[in-house]
Amino acid sequence: MKGVRVLSGAISRGFTTASSKAGRSFAVPKIGRGLVAAGVFGGAATALWTERAYMAAAPPVALSPSEFKKFKCVNVERVTSNTNKYVFELPDGGVPGLTVASVLVCKVNIDGKDEIRPYTPVSGDETPGRMELVVKVYEQGKVSKAFGNLKAGDFMEMKGPFKKFEYKPNEKKEIGMVCGGSGITPMYQVIDAIVRNPADKTKVKLVFCNVAQEDIILKGQIDQWAQDPRVTVTYVLDKPPAGWQGGAGYLNQKMLKAWLPAPSADNMVYVCGPPPMMISVSGNKKSPADQGELSGLLADMGYTKEQVFKF
């Protein structure tokens, strides 16, 4: 599908694309410090006051990578028949302190045993005091089923954030993304960061696979992104409706060759989805810290292990 041009506002993403001690970045403080260094405000005393004022104004990071904290769910919104968007309150106007791309982990206790699963937030530091998660509920799942029973006023234990990798604007010319179902969430972080940054010229080619049209998560936002000339979106359905204009059926080399950037050191492909899709497209990760060997369609098409990242 061809993207349609959209005006992209010059606003910075709540997710930061560079590491920092506090895990956050604030555009105004950086500008302020530069002006102070240039002597615009004049004097060491003014510079010190300005620095302290900015630090005092910075909202606190609510999450902790070293301990689980309980966060209150304030809203549950049905996204698809089996997927919900959850809004959690962050105390004291706090922010999650997320980088692109990072995850958090959620914990529930089932029959005396702690069950922990990773989830990717779909909101960043741009909305102090709240954080959003989109979760697909599986009947046989453990943590996801607990999410299915979650209602406004309930609490969920979370820990993080944990950086998956550090996205750097303009590091690659093109990024291909192949995802299925809730595997869209890490792609969401990256695309959102790119679209919000007019200086980032990276092009994105998203291939989003679902069973049926009504299963497409966050379609409204994705369609809006597709208006940006840097973003191309292709939806693929197992069960397309009559007159469907997107992709149909299981992915194959012909499809991916048409929809993804070519294998090159200048390009990258991200993959995230259910195990059968991962096995077919790239092979599963060996462990959370080990990407494992590249296999499947991408390996057959000539991509190297260094050109593919598996979430």
Side-chain angles (χ1 to χ4, degrees), residues 103-180:
V103 301
L104 54 78
V105 294
C106 296
K107 180 177 72 172
V108 298
N109 188 279
I110 301 176
D111 298 326
K113 180 182 178 182
D114 287 337
E115 299 288 347
I116 300 173
R117 296 291 185 275
Y119 293 96
T120 305
V122 293
S123 66
D125 294 0
E126 80 284 358
T127 54
R130 57 183 281 152
M131 178 178 65
E132 298 177 1
L133 291 177
V134 172
V135 179
K136 188 171 185 177
V137 179
Y138 295 92
E139 184 60 33
Q140 302 304 317
K142 295 180 179 179
V143 178
S144 76
K145 190 173 182 179
F147 265 104
N149 295 325
L150 200 69
K151 59 185 182 299
D154 292 342
F155 288 79
M156 177 65 70
E157 290 190 75
M158 304 180 191
K159 183 168 71 172
F162 302 101
K163 184 170 67 176
K164 301 289 287 187
F165 71 92
E166 184 178 335
Y167 172 75
K168 298 178 181 178
N170 298 309
E171 184 176 43
K172 299 294 181 180
K173 290 182 178 179
E174 294 185 82
I175 296 176
M177 299 178 175
V178 184
C179 60

Side-chain angles (χ1 to χ4, degrees), residues 19 31 95 135 159 173 270:
S19 299
I31 295 171
V95 295
V135 179
K159 183 168 71 172
K173 290 182 178 179
Y270 302 154

Side-chain angles (χ1 to χ4, degrees), residues 69-88:
K69 294 183 178 182
K70 291 184 178 180
F71 295 96
K72 183 179 180 180
C73 177
V74 294
N75 189 61
V76 180
E77 177 188 343
R78 178 64 59 90
V79 177
T80 70
S81 60
N82 60 0
T83 304
N84 300 323
K85 180 165 72 174
Y86 301 88
V87 180
F88 291 91

